Amino acid sequence: MMDHKPLFVLDIPDEYKFMDPELIDELDSKVSEILDREANT
């Protein structure tokens, strides 16, 4: 299923509660960086 698909490590520590606003901000930031980088390649 994961053959030939990129795997991205977000490097976010597991110290947040479910749907923690800080976690959502962190995810948004990290994923946006990856999507922007992938769109420019």
Side-chain angles (χ1 to χ4, degrees), residues 19-41:
M19 297 301 287
D20 184 320
E22 289 181 29
L23 172 59
I24 294 170
D25 289 343
E26 186 79 16
L27 286 167
D28 186 42
S29 173
K30 299 275 184 153
V31 171
S32 292
E33 289 175 18
I34 292 169
L35 292 175
D36 289 343
R37 186 175 53 220
E38 289 295 305
N40 292 324
T41 59

